[in-house]
Amino acid sequence: MSRRISDSTVRRLSHYLRALEELEGRHATTVSSDQLAARGGTTAAQVRKDLSHFGSFGKRGLGYSVAELAGRLRRILGVDRHWKVALVGAGRIGSALFEYPDFAARGFRLVAVLDRDPAKVGRVWGPVTISDISELERVVGERDIDLMILAVPGDAAQAIAERAVAAGARGLLNFAPTQLRVADDVPVTNVNLVMEMEALSFALTKDQTAS
Amino acid sequence: MSRRISDSTVRRLSHYLRALEELEGRHATTVSSDQLAARGGTTAAQVRKDLSHFGSFGKRGLGYSVAELAGRLRRILGVDRHWKVALVGAGRIGSALFEYPDFAARGFRLVAVLDRDPAKVGRVWGPVTISDISELERVVGERDIDLMILAVPGDAAQAIAERAVAAGARGLLNFAPTQLRVADDVPVTNVNLVMEMEALSFALTKDQTAS
């Protein structure tokens, strides 16, 4: 079923869950689709449509139960469990990611860090000791890694992705400016910060008509 | 015209430009839509459709001129110029962004850093001295800031976005887990690293059918 759910729908589900968790914090018991829509940057009709993919929620005129819908969205998004995550690349972006508090709060546990730089291998980051990239297969296997974050240069990313998947990693978050080619059943999300900036410069540039 | 171009099209244009620049580095003079498609993770037909939004390129059977198409895409994406960028938030993510070499290479020049922490204000980062957040309006005006990167907590982002736009910032790259509400003519791109991870956990979770 996941094939038919668009990336933008998934993004909105994440927003709805955040809204519900704020409401839980304020001990609210019900919420309307209008309230969820405001948080997701969308309309009440879109909220109802997004949720309808996953069954029946809420009662007409009564809204949704905050606790029930939050629990359901956690299960749908797969964040009612822990995921074991390895980070490849202990550079600036990698070290910022490693200390990013929201990952752990959401169940994404960084249990391994790898780098190719001998000067970094063996360093201790919190509970983790940085491993040499040559150890990738062993680390993925022994620590039962689910997800791999690639914060490596573009020319290294494809080979590391292939090794990671062959070793058992099931999904990849890619910071390298490269389109990774992996099997269709391995989800990949890409974060390319320069492309995000280019989306802004594009939107602000007038020279977009035929020359 | 930009209104009709989807975000995913813009993303592919960025990929095509990277492919063309690699080809320029290897002194290639022409490229086929098949070659560009491979780099953009798409099809040759999609490449031709994407480029057709912006006029006529290439000759049937001869492919595209690498230099001409690269130049045209730089103008379309607005990266044939410099953009002055301010970073708000000198935390871990902010400091990694500040040293991110690809921004400067693409013409995005970080010319100001602001933070609310008195312990950080006055520190010198390369050519930039960190300013107090209370100085935001002055900094945006005096340094003629085009784009603002928000690497601040979620509860601070909306107020800072409003101040930035009122002071003259024209586009926002938002790392806070908040949907910013600004005027329609101010483009906003969002980078939410936890939501990227959630897209992976969603794709790997089977419990997506009606309960």
Side-chain angles (χ1 to χ4, degrees):
Chain A
M1 176 145 183
S2 67
R3 297 278 160 198
R4 298 191 317 209
I5 309 296
S6 72
D7 292 347
S8 52
T9 300
V10 178
R11 196 60 58 103
R12 286 192 299 272
L13 297 178
S14 290
H15 279 295
Y16 304 153
L17 177 55
R18 279 157 182 73
L20 289 161
E21 289 177 340
E22 283 181 14
L23 290 163
E24 282 183 319
R26 287 188 265 135
H27 307 291
T29 55
T30 59
V31 62
S32 68
S33 39
D34 278 321
Q35 289 172 282
L36 289 176
R39 176 58 186 255
T42 185
T43 63
Q46 182 71 59
V47 170
R48 290 189 290 267
K49 185 178 171 205
D50 288 339
L51 297 177
S52 72
H53 292 296
F54 305 98
S56 180
F57 297 92
K59 291 199 176 68
R60 187 171 295 271
L62 292 178
Y64 304 98
S65 155
V66 169
E68 186 188 327
L69 186 54
R72 192 77 183 90
L73 283 178
R74 282 189 205 102
R75 289 194 295 282
I76 289 168
L77 289 168
V79 293
D80 59 336
R81 51 160 289 186
H82 287 124
W83 296 87
K84 291 184 193 155
V85 183
L87 166 69
V88 186
R92 292 189 186 97
I93 294 281
S95 63
L97 293 172
F98 186 80
E99 307 202 26
Y100 196 55
D102 297 357
F103 282 149
R106 198 43 114 193
F108 298 104
R109 294 163 61 187
L110 273 158
V111 297
V113 180
L114 301 104
D115 202 281
R116 65 179 175 188
D117 180 356
K120 288 178 181 159
V121 172
R123 280 192 200 165
V124 176
W125 280 10
V128 175
T129 301
I130 300 178
S131 301
D132 189 90
I133 189 68
S134 67
E135 301 287 296
L136 185 145
E137 285 77 9
R138 188 180 62 72
V139 167
V140 170
E142 285 181 5
R143 300 189 204 174
D144 202 17
I145 297 298
D146 299 301
L147 306 174
M148 186 84 77
I149 301 176
L150 305 188
V152 298
D155 58 3
Q158 179 63 32
I160 291 172
E162 289 173 14
R163 290 174 59 194
V165 170
R170 299 168 59 204
L172 306 174
L173 174 58
N174 175 40
F175 282 83
T178 297
Q179 291 280 97
L180 298 178
R181 294 174 303 280
V182 293
D184 284 346
D185 62 346
V186 178
V188 178
T189 60
N190 294 286
V191 177
N192 187 310
L193 300 172
V194 176
M195 287 191 191
E196 299 296 338
M197 295 296 276
E198 287 180 6
L200 298 178
S201 60
F202 171 84
L204 293 170
T205 297
K206 303 303 178 203
D207 179 25
Q208 289 165 11
T209 50
S211 58
Chain B
M1 177 146 182
S2 68
R3 295 279 160 198
R4 297 190 316 206
I5 308 296
S6 72
D7 291 349
S8 51
T9 300
V10 178
R11 195 61 57 104
R12 285 192 300 272
L13 297 178
S14 289
H15 279 295
Y16 304 153
L17 177 56
R18 278 155 184 74
L20 290 162
E21 290 176 338
E22 283 180 14
L23 290 164
E24 282 183 319
R26 289 189 262 135
H27 307 291
T29 54
T30 60
V31 62
S32 69
S33 39
D34 279 319
Q35 289 172 284
L36 289 176
R39 176 58 187 256
T42 186
T43 63
Q46 183 71 60
V47 170
R48 289 188 290 267
K49 187 179 170 204
D50 288 339
L51 296 178
S52 73
H53 291 296
F54 305 99
S56 180
F57 297 94
K59 291 198 175 70
R60 186 171 296 271
L62 293 178
Y64 304 99
S65 156
V66 169
E68 186 188 328
L69 186 55
R72 192 77 183 90
L73 283 177
R74 282 190 205 100
R75 289 194 295 281
I76 289 168
L77 289 168
V79 292
D80 58 336
R81 51 159 288 185
H82 288 124
W83 296 87
K84 291 185 194 155
V85 183
L87 166 68
V88 186
R92 291 189 185 97
I93 294 281
S95 62
L97 293 172
F98 187 78
E99 306 202 26
Y100 196 54
D102 297 359
F103 281 150
R106 199 43 116 192
F108 298 105
R109 296 162 61 185
L110 274 160
V111 298
V113 179
L114 301 105
D115 201 281
R116 66 180 175 189
D117 179 357
K120 288 179 181 157
V121 172
R123 281 192 201 166
V124 176
W125 280 9
V128 175
T129 301
I130 299 177
S131 301
D132 190 273
I133 189 67
S134 67
E135 300 286 297
L136 185 145
E137 286 77 8
R138 188 181 59 74
V139 167
V140 170
E142 286 182 4
R143 301 190 204 173
D144 201 16
I145 297 297
D146 298 301
L147 306 174
M148 187 83 78
I149 300 176
L150 305 189
V152 299
D155 58 2
Q158 179 63 32
I160 291 172
E162 289 172 15
R163 290 175 58 195
V165 170
R170 300 168 58 204
L172 305 174
L173 174 58
N174 175 38
F175 283 81
T178 298
Q179 291 280 98
L180 298 177
R181 295 173 302 280
V182 294
D184 284 346
D185 63 346
V186 178
V188 178
T189 61
N190 294 285
V191 177
N192 187 311
L193 300 173
V194 176
M195 287 192 192
E196 299 296 338
M197 296 295 276
E198 286 181 6
L200 297 178
S201 60
F202 171 83
L204 293 170
T205 298
K206 304 302 177 203
D207 180 24
Q208 289 165 13
T209 50
S211 59

